[in-house]
């Protein structure tokens, strides 16, 4: 699926310091009924963001005008549970390009990379620093530099490097996707298939 | 060929690598691909936009389950959005020559129930589906895991996905399970020990007497729940139990093909001396019937225990307290005796015939408690038929219960089977996340025995007292 290239993102960040944020919270199942990829951002964190009558819950961070930006900072074990890619779509559609956490669930991490949201894994200590910095000044900026694989707290210059495999990095930098790569090797796949036992 | 000892996972993985991308994932070949109405439409749209066809339509199988009603399935689906997804699945399957078991088809049911039931899933295969509980199929010694919609599009268009090989973990459980302790309890016990993220980054092999002595239904329940400890998937080496289950299944090999397959399947076990990145050992007598009290599957305990104090849990204290607040529970409280409003028997975790047998064995000769609303939802029409044939329907009907029609139902509450806000459900499904069974719903995960015990007493009850 096409997405915008990712190079360097310099932005304020939204702190969501909750652990084990599962994809049912990111986008509840009842909003998965679409047959097109449209409008998922409106229902991002639906049940944490809105009351049953549709009014916003004022204590939820997305409803707090102090916080904004292209980076979402989540707690440990972010994106656990259901494999719904809709969770990553909702995050992208809302306007985030990057999620920072100390630990991601596997499927969520894959899904994000596939649709152009960069998951950045930092140490628990650095995560705590980010939360402190945003707490002290909601306008503080982070820089996520994909070519260098670094994340920097711009106010203090403190930075950490993060891991991403070379193939996925290349894709993200260029907005490429795996379907194209696989299409280009169809003959190889075809001949592999004929040699399978089952 | 070198002679380095290999794990079961290595053997199946290595046989499916088409190409290893340097500093990148493997291009990984998929033998069986299941699709359903919720996570496939956007993938088909992607194919359309690229002008690409499905490469191997005979390797993909479609069934409608997530979004389907569990009553009056002969009538048109009322919710227009659900109806639209079901129609899209039917049309996409037809346009690409994919077999489709839609609503009303006698083969229809939950994807992870109908796949094995029809012999589609076989040992040594790679199996994927846009649903995280695809791990269920690992019970056959297959590598099976859930994927996202982009990957569904990859499989449709090229029969491959991009995957980095996971680390390997073996979990051994030896000894003999006690009375009233089911495969579900074994799985919930493991998750409570290692937490909901304890196996993230790993692929798990379950080994030891407990799994060797388990039926295929039980093994499916265990592998199904692998994802709830964060694992990519779980698998169990195929053995005589596996072969006996598969023999004669519609899509399983026949005649000479069976013999050839069998010979190969018998090689699918971890070699002596093969290395795991992590190995855990438990004893069956540590395990009693389990129940969860929090909002992730790792927050569970033996049914006779009290809810742990925040100071003793591995999860962050703030998250733990938030979780208990959502559930309306307090630290240190007893679980036995808690009032329950709903009971759900079903899902790809516990919607098979054994689960209904277990449920019936407790409700037999008893009556449904007045305060309980019960949803008994078979995993497939085949299970539904077995329930009738074995006389289970008569037992549950006499006890005041009704049988619904197959589907995912209250497991994810996309259809009308929603637990109302604030109400408590004892559920045999797999997730107790906030709002999973309906906005504001509170879920206690447990086995069919525990569900049955709650259904007849109206409160959390130790099923061993009723067996
Ligand atoms: S029963 Fe639940 S977990 Fe299983 S396939 Fe359906 S929604 Fe997924």
């Amino acid at each position: 699926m096409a997405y915008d290239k990712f190079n360097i993102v310099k932005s304020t960040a939204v702190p969501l310091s909750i652990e084990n944020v599962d994809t049912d919270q990111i986008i509840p199942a009842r909003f998965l009924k679409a047959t097109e990829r449209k409008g998922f951002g409106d229902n991002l964190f639906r049940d944490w963001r809105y009351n049953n009558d549709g009014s916003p819950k004022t204590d939820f961070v997305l409803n707090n005008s102090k916080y904004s930006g292209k980076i979402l900072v989540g707690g440990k074990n972010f994106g656990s549970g259901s494999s719904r890619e809709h969770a990553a779509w909702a995050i992208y559609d809302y306007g985030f390009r990057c999620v920072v956490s100390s630990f991601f669930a596997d499927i969520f991490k894959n899904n994000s990379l596939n649709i152009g949201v960069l998951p950045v894994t930092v140490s628990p200590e650095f995560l705590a620093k980010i939360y402190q910095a945003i707490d002290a000044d909601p306008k503080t900026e982070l820089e996520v530099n994909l070519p260098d694989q670094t994340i920097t707290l711009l106010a203090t210059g403190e930075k950490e490097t993060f891991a991403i495999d070379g193939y996925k990095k290349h894709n993200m930098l260029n907005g490429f996707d795996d379907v194209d790569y696989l299409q280009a090797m169809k003959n190889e796949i075809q001949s592999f298939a004929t040699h399978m036992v089952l | 060929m070198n002679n380095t000892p290999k794990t079961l996972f290595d053997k199946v993985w290595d046989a499916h690598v088409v190409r290893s991308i340097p500093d990148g994932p493997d291009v990984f070949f998929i033998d069986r691909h299941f699709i359903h109405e919720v996570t496939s439409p956007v993938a088909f749209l992607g194919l359309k936009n690229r002008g690409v066809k499905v490469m191997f339509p005979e390797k993909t199988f479609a069934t409608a389950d997530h979004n389907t009603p569990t009553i009056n399935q002969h009538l048109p689906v009322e919710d227009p959005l659900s109806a639209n997804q079901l129609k899209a699945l039917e049309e996409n399957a037809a346009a690409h020559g994919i077999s489709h078991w839609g609503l009303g088809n006698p083969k229809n049911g939950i994807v992870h129930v109908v796949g094995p039931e029809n012999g589609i899933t076989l040992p040594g295969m790679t199996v994927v589906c846009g649903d995280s509980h695809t791990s269920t199929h690992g019970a056959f010694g297959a590598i099976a895991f859930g994927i996202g919609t982009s990957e569904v599009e990859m499989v449709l268009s090229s029969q491959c996905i991009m995957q980095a090989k996971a680390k390997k973990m073996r979990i051994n459980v030896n000894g003999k399970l006690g009375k009233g302790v089911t495969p579900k309890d074994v799985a919930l016990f493991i998750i409570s020990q290692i937490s909901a993220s304890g196996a993230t980054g790993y692929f798990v092999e379950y080994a030891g007497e407990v799994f060797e002595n388990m039926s295929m239904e039980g093994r499916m329940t265990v592998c199904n729940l692998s994802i709830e400890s964060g694992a990519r998937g779980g698998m169990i080496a195929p053995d005589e139990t596996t072969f006996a289950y598969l023999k004669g299944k519609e899509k399983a090999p026949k005649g000479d093909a069976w013999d050839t397959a069998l010979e190969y399947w018998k090689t699918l076990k971890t070699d002596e001396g093969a290395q795991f990145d992590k190995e855990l050992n438990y004893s069956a007598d540590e395990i009693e019937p389990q129940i969860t009290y929090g909002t992730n599957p790792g927050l569970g305990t033996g049914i006779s225990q009290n809810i742990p104090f925040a100071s003793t849990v591995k999860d962050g204290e703030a998250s733990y307290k938030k979780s208990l607040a959502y559930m309306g529970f307090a630290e240190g409280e007893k679980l036995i005796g808690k009032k329950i409003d709903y009971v759900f028997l079903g899902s790809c975790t516990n919607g098979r015939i054994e689960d209904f047998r277990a449920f019936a064995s407790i409700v037999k000769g008893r009556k449904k408690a007045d305060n309980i609303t019960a949803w008994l939802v078979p995993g497939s029409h085949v299970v539904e038929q077995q329930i009738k044939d074995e006389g289970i329907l008569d037992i549950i009907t006499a006890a005041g219960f009704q049988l619904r029609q197959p589907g995912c139902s209250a497991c994810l509450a996309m259809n009308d089977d929603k637990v109302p806000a604030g109400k408590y459900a004892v559920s045999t499904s797999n997730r107790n996340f906030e709002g999973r069974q309906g906005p504001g719903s509170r879920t206690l995960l447990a086995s069919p025995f525990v569900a049955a015990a709650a259904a007849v007493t109206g409160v959390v009850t130790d099923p061993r007292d009723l067996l």
Side-chain angles (χ1 to χ4, degrees):
Chain A
M1 233 146 310
Y3 57 85
D4 293 336
K5 296 175 188 179
F6 193 111
N7 200 278
I8 295 172
V9 167
K10 211 171 95 179
S11 167
T12 50
V14 177
L16 182 69
S17 74
I18 299 172
E19 295 185 358
N20 301 312
V21 173
D22 58 72
T23 53
D24 273 80
Q25 306 318 315
I26 299 174
I27 183 122
R30 59 188 194 282
F31 300 109
L32 307 182
K33 297 194 180 192
T35 49
E36 286 175 90
R37 193 188 142 178
K38 262 196 209 139
F40 287 102
D42 295 342
N43 295 314
L44 175 67
F45 292 115
R46 179 76 203 198
D47 293 337
W48 285 350
R49 205 165 135 202
Y50 298 104
N51 293 305
N52 286 346
D53 62 5
S55 60
K57 291 187 179 174
T58 46
D59 56 351
F60 186 60
V61 67
L62 290 190
N63 295 324
N64 186 335
S65 56
K66 273 202 305 198
Y67 304 111
S68 63
K70 292 185 175 157
I71 302 170
L72 178 66
V73 188
K76 192 181 103 184
N77 198 25
F78 190 91
S80 59
S82 158
S83 58
R84 59 189 71 161
E85 192 169 293
H86 312 65
W89 297 344
I91 287 172
Y92 187 100
D93 292 351
Y94 184 86
F96 292 117
R97 284 310 305 277
C98 177
V99 184
V100 180
S101 173
S102 58
F103 193 92
F104 287 97
D106 278 337
I107 303 182
F108 177 79
K109 197 186 336 183
N110 267 341
N111 287 344
S112 299
L113 284 165
N114 284 337
I115 64 127
V117 170
L118 181 68
V120 172
T121 309
V122 296
S123 66
E125 295 74 33
F126 198 74
L127 188 68
K129 270 188 197 156
I130 296 174
Y131 282 132
Q132 278 161 18
I134 301 173
D135 204 30
D137 175 12
K139 293 282 154 260
T140 197
E141 285 195 318
L142 294 173
E143 182 187 280
V144 177
N145 183 319
L146 180 57
D148 289 351
Q149 296 176 222
T150 55
I151 173 166
T152 310
L153 267 167
L154 290 177
T156 61
E158 284 170 288
K159 70 166 81 170
E160 220 174 65
T161 56
F162 60 86
I164 178 171
D165 75 46
Y167 167 82
K168 285 286 179 197
K169 178 174 169 177
H170 180 74
N171 274 359
M172 277 286 233
L173 287 170
N174 295 288
F176 292 164
D177 81 8
D178 292 338
V179 177
D180 294 331
Y181 184 101
L182 293 167
Q183 282 301 305
M185 59 178 286
K186 266 191 149 169
N187 289 342
E188 193 179 335
I189 296 170
Q190 185 73 51
S191 86
F192 184 91
T194 52
H195 294 107
M196 292 304 292
V197 194
L198 293 168
Chain B
M1 276 298 249
N2 63 26
N3 290 322
T4 323
K6 283 182 163 192
T7 66
L8 166 63
F9 175 68
D10 290 327
K11 289 180 185 178
V12 181
W13 185 279
D14 295 351
H16 289 86
V17 176
V18 181
R19 180 194 282 184
S20 285
I21 302 173
D23 191 20
D26 289 341
V27 176
F28 193 63
F29 189 81
I30 301 303
D31 297 312
R32 292 287 183 265
H33 180 210
F34 294 102
I35 56 173
H36 59 83
E37 72 275 25
V38 176
T39 55
S40 66
V42 173
F44 281 108
L45 215 57
L47 292 190
K48 195 173 161 201
N49 293 339
R50 292 174 207 263
V52 168
K53 283 201 165 46
V54 174
M55 191 173 180
F56 292 103
E58 71 281 9
K59 294 185 191 294
T60 292
F61 300 82
T63 184
D65 56 2
H66 279 59
N67 223 338
T68 53
T70 54
I71 46 167
N72 294 328
Q73 290 187 348
H74 60 289
L75 299 178
V77 174
E78 273 174 33
D79 174 6
L81 293 173
S82 301
N84 196 31
Q85 279 193 331
L86 295 169
K87 191 166 137 257
L89 183 70
E90 187 179 348
E91 288 173 357
N92 286 328
H96 292 274
I98 293 167
S99 102
H100 171 239
W101 295 338
L103 207 57
N105 187 307
K107 299 259 185 201
N108 176 257
I110 304 173
V111 56
H112 311 310
V113 176
V114 299
E117 198 167 70
N118 287 282
I120 298 173
T121 303
L122 300 172
M125 281 186 163
T126 52
V127 181
V128 295
C129 171
D131 181 281
S132 54
H133 294 94
T134 309
S135 58
T136 310
H137 307 260
F140 292 83
I143 291 184
F145 53 87
I147 57 176
T149 298
S150 296
E151 292 167 309
V152 172
E153 188 180 341
M154 292 177 216
V155 182
L156 291 171
S157 58
S158 69
Q159 207 57 37
C160 289
I161 55 171
M162 303 286 197
Q163 282 290 305
K165 194 172 176 182
K167 287 184 286 184
K168 292 165 283 182
M169 183 189 293
R170 181 159 62 186
I171 300 179
N172 305 293
V173 187
N174 282 297
K176 203 168 164 290
L177 293 175
K179 182 175 113 175
V181 181
T182 68
K184 179 70 166 285
D185 301 303
V186 176
L188 287 177
F189 170 81
I190 293 170
I191 302 163
S192 75
Q193 297 297 304
I194 66 177
S195 91
S197 59
T200 302
Y202 291 91
F203 213 97
V204 175
E205 179 178 343
Y206 300 98
E209 286 154 29
V210 163
F211 306 110
E212 284 160 21
N213 294 331
M214 229 176 238
S215 66
M216 286 317 294
E217 284 83 359
R219 293 178 190 184
M220 285 189 250
T221 301
V222 169
C223 290
N224 173 282
L225 288 162
S226 302
I227 180 76
E228 303 311 332
S229 61
R232 205 73 179 87
M235 65 202 301
I236 294 173
D239 61 7
E240 291 306 323
T241 306
T242 321
F243 309 144
Y245 177 97
L246 287 171
K247 186 127 201 179
K249 289 271 185 292
E250 185 184 318
K251 302 219 185 261
K254 309 262 151 41
D256 287 350
W258 171 267
D259 296 336
T260 313
L262 193 61
E263 207 174 309
Y264 170 56
W265 294 344
K266 287 183 173 166
T267 68
L268 296 174
K269 47 176 158 259
T270 292
D271 298 330
E272 196 79 40
Q275 289 299 308
F276 288 86
D277 299 286
K278 193 166 183 175
E279 188 135 14
L280 300 172
N281 295 291
Y282 300 104
S283 159
D285 52 24
E286 296 173 68
I287 309 173
E288 65 166 329
Q290 304 282 305
I291 192 160
T292 68
Y293 52 80
T295 55
N296 74 60
L299 298 176
T301 184
I303 195 160
S304 67
Q305 308 294 305
N306 297 349
I307 296 172
F309 285 90
S311 52
T312 65
V313 297
K314 292 172 220 132
D315 253 314
E317 206 166 312
S319 301
Y320 183 72
K321 288 192 167 153
K322 178 176 181 293
S323 180
L324 288 193
Y326 180 86
M327 293 298 292
F329 290 159
E331 300 172 44
E333 274 187 319
K334 259 173 97 69
L335 281 156
I336 296 275
K338 287 237 170 259
K339 190 168 164 283
I340 298 301
D341 310 293
Y342 284 74
V343 166
F344 173 53
L345 175 68
S347 87
C348 59
T349 311
N350 282 128
R352 298 184 184 79
I353 187 64
E354 271 194 3
D355 305 312
F356 282 82
R357 285 182 196 139
F359 190 91
S361 73
I362 284 193
V363 304
K364 185 173 185 176
R366 297 191 168 92
K367 284 277 177 222
K368 183 181 82 63
D370 290 338
N371 60 309
I372 295 287
T373 303
W375 293 322
L376 276 46
V377 185
S380 69
H381 283 301
V382 172
V383 174
E384 185 185 26
Q385 194 55 47
Q386 277 173 298
I387 290 170
K388 292 176 182 163
D389 294 347
E390 294 186 13
I392 293 173
L393 182 60
D394 299 332
I395 296 171
I396 57 179
T397 311
F401 296 93
Q402 277 174 341
L403 188 66
R404 299 176 78 90
Q405 291 172 302
C408 294
S409 180
C411 174
L412 89 167
M414 267 188 95
N415 66 359
D416 290 338
D417 307 342
K418 290 182 174 57
V419 176
K423 297 292 183 196
Y424 290 96
V426 168
S427 177
T428 66
S429 56
N430 41 57
R431 286 184 173 142
N432 50 0
F433 298 149
E434 287 183 28
R436 171 79 178 185
Q437 298 195 285
S441 60
R442 293 159 161 171
T443 302
L444 292 83
L445 298 175
S447 75
F449 280 144
V450 174
V456 293
T457 62
V459 296
V460 174
T461 301
D462 191 329
R464 291 170 294 191
D465 299 341
L466 304 183
L467 277 168

